[in-house]
Every structure is written in structure tokens, then in C-alpha cells.
Amino acid sequence: MKLNLKKKLASFTIIAVGSVFCIFLTISLLFIRRSFVESNEHLLIEETQKAANAINQQLSSHMAVARALARSFEVTYSNNWEQMYPLFNASMEQVAKEEDDFLAVWNCFQYEYILPTWGNKPGRLTSTLSREEGQLKHKEIIRDIDGIKPSPYYDAIESLNEMIVEPYWYQYGEDESDKVLETSIVAPMQASGAGIGVVGIDISLDAFPAFVADIKPFEASTAILLSTKGSIIGHEDVEKLGKPLNNFYDSINIAAYTHLNKEACEIFEYKIDGEQMVFSLAPIYPGKSLTPWFVLIQTPKKVLTAKANWIVSVLLIIGLVSIAVIAILVYLVSGRIATPIISSAKITSTISSGDLTSVFNYKKEKDELDVLNNSLLDMQEKLSVVVKMIRENSQQIQDASNRLEQDSSTLSNATSSMATSSEEVSSAIEEMTANIEQNTENARITSQLSHTALESVKNSNNSTQRMRQAMGSVAERISIIQDIASQTNILSLNAAVEAARAGEAGRGFSVVASEVKKLAERSQDAAKEIEKLSRRALMISEKAGNDMEDLVPEIEKTSSLVDEITAASLEQNTGIQQISGALQQLNHGTQQNATLADALAQSADELNAFANELQRQVSYFKIANR
């Protein structure tokens, strides 16, 4: 089925929004359901532990009484058995009178500990105060003389642990109705780490069914009090009392939970008679017993999830109603969106068919779709103007192409004449280039010679300067020689004076001093002559140096002028080469222009053909005559 735009928009939007809403709703519902179930399970655990603590408190109080009797008996039995035994019975009688709930209070001693002459033979003495027909009756029974038989008594003796015996039926009268479901609370007595006997209290379990029946965390919950081995002690159905739990719930194995500690509580599920049940199990450890009883509460799982299911149903209804409302709103909004889109589609359809004469109304711009519709109308109007201009300009192009074809022929003839003239000019330029190159070479050689002369003059000037410096140094050395001659003359005078003082002995030394004086005078005269000659040579070298210094700028100026002439010749050579290259390019360009003129004529023909084709294509559009 083909859907229009409005239905498509509505369908897609509803599917998208519905999917997101459904996912969100599903996650929320699962979270709510889980939260309610966990909250109810927590309540179930609290109620189970509360019931277990209440029963444990009652049983532990009875265990405390038995423990107190056992402690008092075990510390005094060995003093004087004959005297203590009646006191033990009196203590038990007092306890039995004070506690109406006790069916019997009893103790049991091994004969080997109360009769020194008994030896290691088996046997025990039991003293019991039991409540029969409203009266306390005392009985003494001798047991196990013929051999030890298994019993909770020996379990307590061997383990030395307090215990609560598995429930049992006991008949106090001849009538069947006199049978009572009871249990025994046993506390061991010991001496030097060995069991010597036990103290026991028998209590009726008749009160527990009513107590257990009132344990109702939920209206449909059922509580059960179980022994260590799984016997039913408390139940709202009295027909099940004393019977094993497996008779009714074969899936539950109580022995698997005897390891639980006092504060633990287990939650598990089983299907009973086709219905899923949730069970909460809490252990009871009376006194110091190591074998627990249990409180088991059975609750249909649908009860735990009932409120959650109701909330889920309400939310589902709200969700479905919300989706329906969203669908209606989306359908209405999609109509508002689709209408301007359809109008825009009609405009584009008429334009694509080449009809630019259709008339549409502008819309008041409320959103982007109205802007789109008005923009398309503007586009139609502008396109109509453009097509009209193209039609008019295509005719002008056709006329211009005809004129271009004529001008291209004229250009071709002109370029041929230019090519001939450019070849003649090129030949003349080549001759000028050869002459300028010869002048440039001569100027280059002259420049090199002037530079060489300049270097020679600079070297001569430098030599003159060095000679001037050497003459100055000679003058300084001559001054030193004169000073030495003066000093020598003075020394010779001093020597002559000393020789005269010496008399005859210094006559030879006086002759030597006279000769030294003559040499000093001759050296001084020669030094003066050399000084005059060096000063004259220094003056001549200074004049020659000054003349050289005046000559160097003139030579440098001559060299610079020659360099400028060389540079000008090089520039002329470069310029004439550029002119020659330009003429070559002009010649080449003229040849290309001739080729392009031919191509231009061909292009004009093609342009004329294109103008005709453009006229044909534009005629596809229909425009209004204005």
C-alpha cells in the first residue's frame, strides 16, 4: 500500500516514539517489580528471624533452668550421695511447681560415679518428677543394667553439649486424647572432663501450633516450626504435627541447612502443586545447643509480586493511553508539516516540466516550510527572468559570432604581414647585437688593465709607506748609537782620570782610554752623517708617498669610469639581446596569432552552432509575456 507523506510522517514518528516509550516503560516496570519483590523478601526475612528469636528465647529460658540444675548437681553430688540425692529431688520439685509448662523435671546419674563399688559396668539411675492428673509424681527408674541402648542421653554424655531432643508423642493416660507432643531439654553434668549424667526438662509443644499459626508476614503465608530432623512441631494444620516435612514438601531437604549460623536466613523457591512458592528459613539454637530447630515460612510468589503487578498494569494502561494520545497529536502535526511540503512539491514539479507560467500564492511565513514554499516561488520568478534573458542574449551571441568570423579573417591577413616585417627587423637587430658585443669585450679588457694599474700603484704606495717607517726606525737606531758614543766618551774620560791617579801603573790603561775616546768621537761623527742622510731620504720618501696618495684617487676614478663604460656596454648588450628575444617572441607570437585567427574562425562557427542549440534548449521553458 502506497502511503502519502502525511501518513508516512505519522507512522514513522509513532513507531519511533512508541519504541522509545516502550523500552523506557519496560525498564521502569522491571525495576519497579524487582524493587517490590526485594522489599517483600526483606520483610519476609525480618518476620522469619523475629519468629525464630521469639521461639529461641522461650526454649533458651527452659534450657537455662536445666543448665542451672545441672551445675548445682555436678558440684555437690560427690559430697555425700545419700544426703544430696533428696536435696536434688527437692530442687527439681520446686522448679516443677514454679513452671507449669514443664511436664517433667528429671536427672540421670551414671552408677559408676554415685556408687564407688559399682565399677565400670553400665547402668544409670533416673529420678523423675512428672505432672500427671494435675499432681507431681516422683519416680525412680534403673536403666541400662543389661547393656547400653542408643538414646539422646548418651549423646549428651559423650558430646557434653546441651541439646533439645527430637519431638515425640507421650501418652500420660489411657485415652488416645491424652497423647502429648513434647520434647526434652537436656543439659549434661560432668566431672574432670567426663560426663556423669544429665538434667532434663520435658516440655509440651502444644503451645507452638497456635503461636506459629499467628506468624503471617502476608495473608497467604504459612509458618512451620521444624525440628532438627525435619519433624513438624508447629503448623496451623494440627493433622501435620509430628510428621516429617518430606511427607508434604519432598523438594526441601532440611539437613542441608543445619550449617546455618544463628543470624542467617535463607530464601529459596520451589513449585508446589503447580504454584511457585517462596520459602524463608531461619535456624533456632536454644541455649548452647549445636543442633538447630527451624522456622519455615511459605508464601506464594504471586503474593510478593501482587502489588508490583498491579502497578505494572496501571503503568501499562497509562502507557497505552499515552501512545494513543501521542499518535493523535503526531497525526495532526504531520498534517501541518505535510501540507506546505506538498505545495512545494507542486511548484518544483511545474518548474521541472518547463512551465514557468503557473501561478501560486505566497504563504504567511510561520515556520521553515512556509519559507521554503515562498523561496520556491521566488526561484520560479527568477528562473523565468533568467530564461527570458538567455533567449535574448543567445540571439546577440549568434550575431556576434558572425561578426567574429569576419574579423578573424581580417586578423589572419594582418598577422601574415606582421610576420614578414618582424623577420626584417630581427635581421637588423642581429647585426647591431654583434657590434655591441665587440664594444663590450673591448671595454671589459680596458677595465681589467685599469684595475691592474690601480693595484700596482696601491702596492707602490704601500712600499713607500713601509720605507718611510723603516727610515724612521733607522733614525731611532742612530740616536741610540749617538747616545752610546757619548756614554763611551764619558767613560774614557773617567778612565783617563783614574789612570792619572794610578801614576806609572795606570799608564797603559791611559793609552787604551785615549784610543777608546778617539773611536767614540769617530762613531759620533759617522752617526751624525748617517742621521743627516736618513733624514734627507725620509723627506724624499714622504714626498714620494704624498705624490702616490694624490695619484691613487685619480687612478681609482679612471678605473670607475672604465667599469661604468663596461657596465653600460653590458647593459646595452643585455638590452639588445632582450630586444632580439622580444622580436623572436613577437615573430613567434605573430605566427601563433595567424594560427589562432584560423582557430578563431572555426570557434566562431562552433559558437554560432552553440547559440542555435541554446535557443532550442531554452525554448523548453514557457514564460509569460510581460
Side-chain angles (χ1 to χ4, degrees), residues 104-373:
V105 181
W106 49 273
N107 64 58
C108 184
F109 283 90
Q110 295 284 97
Y111 269 119
E112 59 181 311
Y113 292 102
I114 61 177
L115 295 178
T117 60
W118 185 262
N120 294 326
K121 296 180 293 183
R124 55 192 173 98
L125 174 63
T126 301
S127 177
T128 304
L129 282 169
S130 59
R131 200 180 303 277
E132 298 180 9
E133 298 178 354
Q135 299 292 327
L136 288 173
K137 295 183 179 180
H138 182 257
K139 295 180 183 179
E140 290 185 357
I141 303 174
I142 300 173
R143 300 179 184 274
D144 301 336
I145 299 295
D146 300 331
I148 296 176
K149 299 178 182 178
S151 67
Y153 168 79
Y154 285 106
D155 294 339
I157 290 292
E158 290 179 1
S159 66
L160 296 180
N161 290 324
E162 297 176 357
M163 65 170 54
I164 183 166
V165 177
E166 275 292 303
Y168 53 88
W169 292 99
Y170 190 85
Q171 188 166 348
Y172 285 91
E174 298 180 356
D175 194 355
E176 186 69 19
S177 60
D178 294 334
K179 291 177 66 176
V180 177
L181 183 64
E182 64 180 62
T183 187
S184 298
I185 293 174
V186 179
M189 295 181 290
Q190 57 179 316
S192 300
I196 62 175
V198 300
V199 172
I201 298 175
D202 297 341
I203 60 173
S204 173
L205 301 177
D206 290 345
F208 286 106
F211 177 80
V212 170
D214 290 336
I215 300 174
K216 295 284 186 181
F218 299 95
E219 188 64 29
S221 298
T222 300
I224 306 173
L225 178 63
L226 299 173
S227 68
T228 303
K229 295 183 178 180
S231 296
I232 297 176
I233 302 170
H235 197 284
E236 61 184 12
D237 185 1
V238 295
E239 297 296 327
K240 296 181 180 180
L241 298 179
K243 297 178 181 178
L245 181 67
N246 290 341
N247 291 357
F248 310 99
Y249 304 100
D250 55 0
S251 302
I252 302 176
N253 181 17
I254 288 298
Y257 299 99
T258 54
H259 66 281
L260 294 178
N261 58 43
K262 293 182 180 181
E263 304 300 327
C265 186
E266 287 285 325
I267 289 284
F268 50 89
E269 295 183 17
Y270 286 110
K271 186 173 285 189
I272 306 297
D273 296 332
E275 184 178 5
Q276 194 72 13
M277 294 290 182
V278 177
F279 293 90
S280 57
L281 180 73
I284 302 172
Y285 288 90
K288 299 178 182 180
S289 174
L290 300 180
T291 54
W293 281 10
F294 301 95
V295 173
L296 179 68
I297 298 179
Q298 165 192 319
T299 306
K301 188 169 184 178
K302 64 181 182 181
V303 173
L304 301 182
T305 60
K307 191 170 183 179
N309 291 336
W310 178 80
I311 293 175
V312 167
S313 300
V314 172
L315 289 179
L316 282 174
I317 293 172
I318 293 173
L320 293 174
V321 172
S322 300
I323 291 174
V325 172
I326 290 172
I328 295 171
L329 292 176
V330 166
Y331 188 79
L332 296 176
V333 172
S334 63
R336 176 66 184 87
I337 296 173
T339 300
I341 293 176
I342 293 171
S343 176
S344 300
K346 290 180 180 179
I347 297 171
T348 55
S349 177
T350 57
I351 294 174
S352 63
S353 65
D355 185 6
L356 302 178
T357 61
S358 299
V359 178
F360 296 94
N361 296 325
Y362 281 88
K363 296 181 178 297
K364 184 178 180 181
E365 295 182 357
K366 297 179 180 178
D367 52 29
E368 290 78 2
L369 293 175
D370 292 335
V371 173
L372 174 63
N373 182 83

Side-chain angles (χ1 to χ4, degrees), residues 333-547:
V333 172
S334 63
R336 176 66 184 87
I337 296 173
T339 300
I341 293 176
I342 293 171
S343 176
S344 300
K346 290 180 180 179
I347 297 171
T348 55
S349 177
T350 57
I351 294 174
S352 63
S353 65
D355 185 6
L356 302 178
T357 61
S358 299
V359 178
F360 296 94
N361 296 325
Y362 281 88
K363 296 181 178 297
K364 184 178 180 181
E365 295 182 357
K366 297 179 180 178
D367 52 29
E368 290 78 2
L369 293 175
D370 292 335
V371 173
L372 174 63
N373 182 83
N374 295 340
S375 298
L376 289 174
L377 291 176
D378 292 338
M379 184 184 71
Q380 179 186 5
E381 183 177 355
K382 296 297 182 183
L383 186 59
S384 177
V385 174
V386 169
V387 169
K388 185 176 181 180
M389 290 176 62
I390 291 173
R391 284 184 177 179
E392 294 173 353
N393 292 335
S394 61
Q395 183 62 43
Q396 296 177 2
I397 292 172
Q398 190 173 15
D399 297 338
S401 64
N402 293 330
R403 291 194 299 271
L404 183 61
E405 185 177 3
Q406 296 173 0
D407 295 341
S408 62
S409 299
T410 305
L411 178 62
S412 178
N413 296 330
T415 51
S416 297
S417 300
M418 287 176 63
T420 303
S421 299
S422 63
E423 288 178 357
E424 295 175 356
V425 173
S426 179
S427 298
I429 291 298
E430 287 178 358
E431 293 178 1
M432 291 173 64
T433 300
N435 295 328
I436 292 174
E437 286 178 353
Q438 183 63 39
N439 292 335
T440 302
E441 180 65 20
N442 295 334
R444 185 181 62 80
I445 293 171
T446 304
S447 176
Q448 291 177 353
L449 293 175
S450 64
H451 281 289
T452 302
L454 177 61
E455 291 296 325
S456 298
V457 171
K458 287 183 178 179
N459 291 332
S460 298
N461 188 27
N462 292 333
S463 298
T464 303
Q465 294 295 333
R466 287 195 298 271
M467 186 175 68
R468 184 190 301 175
Q469 293 174 358
M471 294 301 291
S473 299
V474 170
E476 291 176 358
R477 299 298 186 277
I478 292 170
S479 298
I480 294 171
I481 292 171
Q482 288 178 346
D483 291 338
I484 293 172
S486 297
Q487 294 294 327
T488 304
N489 193 15
I490 294 170
L491 290 174
S492 66
L493 291 175
N494 291 333
V497 173
E498 293 296 329
R501 287 179 183 178
E504 188 68 27
R507 184 177 298 173
F509 186 72
S510 174
V511 173
V512 172
S514 176
E515 292 297 326
V516 170
K517 181 179 179 183
K518 290 178 181 180
L519 289 172
E521 290 176 350
R522 290 171 61 187
S523 297
Q524 190 172 11
D525 293 337
K528 289 179 179 179
E529 291 295 330
I530 293 170
E531 182 180 6
K532 291 178 181 180
L533 292 175
S534 62
R535 290 185 183 278
R536 186 179 299 170
L538 180 60
M539 291 173 64
I540 293 169
S541 64
E542 285 180 353
K543 187 176 185 302
N546 293 331
D547 292 340

